[in-house]
Amino acid sequence: MKVTTRAHGQWEPRLRDVPMIHDLYDSDDDLPPNSPKFNIFHLRHTPRSCYWQLRRSRPLLIVVLAIIAVFYYSTHYHRRLFPPTHAPSLRYKNVQWRLYAYSQYVTDSHYLCNSVMVFEALSRLGSKADRILMYPEEWDTDIANITDRDSQLLQKASNWYGAKLMPIKVKKFERDPSETEEGDNRTWDTSATKFLAFNQTQYLRIIHLDSDITVQQHMDDLFLLPSARVAMMRAYWNLPSVKSLTSMFILLEPSSAEADRLMAAAESKTRKHNEFDMEILNSLYGDSAMILPHQKYGLISGEFRSEDHHRYLGNNYEKWNPKRALKEASLVHFSDWPIPKPWVMWPRNLLKEKIPPCDINPGTKDEAGCENRDIWLGLYNDFRRRRADICALLSVPAPEWPPRLKMNSSASGNG
C-alpha cells in the first residue's frame, strides 16, 4: 500500500485503497500517532458509488411511488362517489359538509322571521352544514320599497347567513267541514310542506327544524350518526302513557320515494280526521325511527312551568335543575298552551295565571327560588329582543283573553 504524508506529517490513505485498511491495522490503536480516524461508511459511499446505488434502486422507488399514488387517488375517488354517512369523531374535520343541510319552510311573514333567526343562530354558533329555506313560489326577492319586509328578510337569509332559497308550492291539508268548524288547528294546515324536505336528494342528510324555537347549540354531530331513514325525539311530555314522536326536529335521509309516500298520506282521500304532519310521521315511522335523546337535543319551554319533571328526567329520584336542563339542550321549543307564541304579546291576565311560581313563599315579598320563572321569562324576552334586532319587527299585539265564545255555524247562518 502506497502512503503519502501531509506537510505536518499526518498519515492519509487514498480513497481507492480503503478496502485494504483492515489488512494493515487490527484496530484504531495500531494507527500511527496523530493519524486521523476515518468513518468507513463515509469513505465507502463516494459520490460515484452513491450514484450507482440510486440507479439500481430507482425501479423499486418508482414502484413504491406508483402504489402510493394509486392508493391515494382510488381512496379519494371512492370518497367522492360514496361519501360516508357516518364518520368517527376523529375525522370530523374531513366531513364534506356540502352534503348536509338544515331546512326550514315558511308560509307567512311571522314564520319567515323565525327562520331567519334560526339561520342567524346556526351561523353564529359555527354550524358547517348548508342551510335551505323553502318559501312560497308567489313571493319574490326584489325589494319593492322599504316596507317590503318579506323580500328584505329573504335576501338577508341568503346574503347574511348563507341560506339557499328554494321557491316551492305550499302543501295544504284539505279539510272537510267538520274539521274546519274546530278552527284551532288552522296553523297546521300547511304543515305538510315540511315533507318537501324529503325531496332534497342533493343532500345525504337533512335536519328539518321547527321555526318556533331558540337554537342554543348547533346539531352538526347528528349528521354523522349511523344511517337511518328518519331519526326523531320522543314527545317526552306525553310519556309514559303515550309513546309518540315529536316533529320538533327531524333528522332525515332525503328520498323521492319517501317524499311521495308522505304526500300520498297527506291526501284527503287517505288522511284521517284531524290528522296532520305529526300524526302522519308517527303513523309511518313510529315503529322504525331512530330515537334521539331529548335531554341532549330538545326541551319545551313549558317544562319550566311544570311542577313534575320526572318525564323529562326519566326517573323519580333525580333532582330537577333548571339551569342544567337549559344548558344541555341544543334547542328550546316554545310550547306553553294557552300562552301565545313568543312573537305575540301576552294578555296580562293570562300571564298572571300561567307564569311559573317561585318555590318559596310565591307571590309575597319574601319569595325565593325563582329560577324556573326567571329562565322562562328570559327565553321569551330573548326571542323578542332578537326578533327586533334581526327582523326589525315588533311583537304582535296580545289577543283577547279569555277569548270570546264563537257562534256555531247554525246560529251564524253559515250552514
Side-chain angles (χ1 to χ4, degrees), residues 35-91:
S35 175
K37 295 182 180 181
F38 291 91
N39 188 317
I40 300 300
F41 177 81
H42 290 161
L43 288 173
R44 288 181 178 177
H45 289 73
T46 64
R48 187 174 182 181
S49 65
C50 290
Y51 170 76
W52 285 106
Q53 288 182 18
L54 286 175
R55 286 201 62 178
R56 287 195 298 270
S57 62
R58 187 164 57 183
L60 178 62
L61 181 62
I62 292 174
V63 171
V64 172
L65 291 176
I67 292 174
I68 294 174
V70 169
F71 176 78
Y72 173 79
Y73 285 107
S74 63
T75 304
H76 182 69
Y77 185 66
H78 181 272
R79 286 179 179 174
R80 291 184 62 186
L81 286 181
F82 308 101
T85 56
H86 172 65
S89 59
L90 293 177
R91 294 174 55 198

Side-chain angles (χ1 to χ4, degrees), residues 11-288:
W11 295 83
E12 183 178 68
R14 295 173 182 170
L15 291 177
R16 65 174 178 268
D17 298 325
V18 168
M20 300 178 61
I21 192 168
H22 294 295
D23 295 332
L24 295 177
Y25 305 106
D26 295 329
S27 67
D28 291 346
D29 296 336
D30 297 328
L31 292 172
N34 301 323
S35 175
K37 295 182 180 181
F38 291 91
N39 188 317
I40 300 300
F41 177 81
H42 290 161
L43 288 173
R44 288 181 178 177
H45 289 73
T46 64
R48 187 174 182 181
S49 65
C50 290
Y51 170 76
W52 285 106
Q53 288 182 18
L54 286 175
R55 286 201 62 178
R56 287 195 298 270
S57 62
R58 187 164 57 183
L60 178 62
L61 181 62
I62 292 174
V63 171
V64 172
L65 291 176
I67 292 174
I68 294 174
V70 169
F71 176 78
Y72 173 79
Y73 285 107
S74 63
T75 304
H76 182 69
Y77 185 66
H78 181 272
R79 286 179 179 174
R80 291 184 62 186
L81 286 181
F82 308 101
T85 56
H86 172 65
S89 59
L90 293 177
R91 294 174 55 198
Y92 194 78
K93 294 182 179 180
N94 298 326
V95 175
Q96 299 182 49
W97 291 109
R98 60 182 177 80
L99 299 176
Y100 307 97
Y102 292 87
S103 73
Q104 293 268 282
Y105 78 92
V106 299
T107 56
D108 61 34
S109 299
H110 298 308
Y111 284 94
L112 173 58
C113 174
N114 296 350
S115 294
V116 176
M117 292 168 63
V118 168
F119 290 145
E120 182 277 332
L122 291 172
S123 176
R124 170 169 41 84
L125 295 169
S127 170
K128 297 178 175 62
D130 280 2
R131 293 147 209 161
I132 57 178
L133 177 59
M134 298 177 284
Y135 66 95
E137 59 186 0
E138 58 269 20
W139 291 10
D140 63 67
T141 57
D142 298 326
I143 302 175
N145 50 60
I146 59 173
T147 63
D148 187 1
R149 192 55 48 83
D150 291 345
S151 297
Q152 292 173 2
L153 290 177
L154 285 173
Q155 286 202 16
K156 188 168 189 176
S158 175
N159 299 334
W160 288 38
Y161 309 124
K164 298 182 178 181
L165 305 181
M166 297 183 178
I168 49 95
K169 184 176 181 179
V170 175
K171 302 296 182 181
K172 292 185 177 181
F173 289 110
E174 295 182 7
R175 291 175 176 267
D176 59 42
S178 63
E179 290 181 290
T180 305
E181 286 177 4
E182 295 181 8
D184 293 335
N185 297 331
R186 293 188 180 183
T187 55
W188 299 332
D189 280 354
T190 58
S191 60
T193 307
K194 71 177 57 173
F195 298 158
L196 294 177
F198 283 82
N199 257 336
Q200 307 304 321
T201 53
Q202 68 272 31
Y203 295 102
L204 287 179
R205 258 183 167 162
I206 286 177
I207 295 178
H208 182 82
L209 298 166
D210 274 355
S211 63
D212 49 347
I213 60 173
T214 286
V215 179
Q216 300 194 126
Q217 304 170 39
H218 69 70
M219 297 183 287
D220 288 3
D221 56 306
L222 290 180
F223 292 119
L224 308 182
L225 289 177
S227 178
R229 186 170 294 168
V230 166
M232 301 170 70
M233 286 177 9
R234 293 279 188 207
Y236 71 85
W237 50 93
N238 292 329
L239 294 174
S241 57
V242 179
K243 292 185 178 180
S244 60
L245 304 172
T246 173
S247 59
M248 186 187 304
F249 72 89
I250 310 169
L251 173 65
L252 61 95
E253 295 180 354
S255 162
S256 297
E258 287 301 305
D260 293 341
R261 183 183 177 209
L262 286 159
M263 288 303 177
E267 294 292 333
S268 58
K269 296 179 180 180
T270 55
R271 187 173 70 94
K272 296 179 181 179
H273 180 78
N274 280 334
E275 190 175 60
F276 297 98
D277 62 311
M278 196 154 58
E279 289 77 18
I280 291 174
L281 289 167
N282 273 276
S283 174
L284 297 184
Y285 304 115
D287 296 327
S288 61

Side-chain angles (χ1 to χ4, degrees), residues 312-356:
Y312 174 82
L313 297 172
N315 58 66
N316 291 314
Y317 61 82
E318 192 173 350
K319 186 177 180 181
W320 165 251
N321 186 326
K323 289 184 178 179
R324 186 177 66 186
L326 180 66
K327 183 178 180 180
E328 67 185 8
S330 297
L331 60 86
V332 179
H333 183 262
F334 289 95
S335 180
D336 283 288
W337 177 257
I339 296 287
K341 293 296 185 179
W343 56 91
V344 181
M345 293 301 294
W346 295 315
R348 290 191 177 183
N349 48 350
L350 175 62
L351 179 62
K352 187 176 181 180
E353 293 176 18
K354 302 300 182 181
I355 191 171

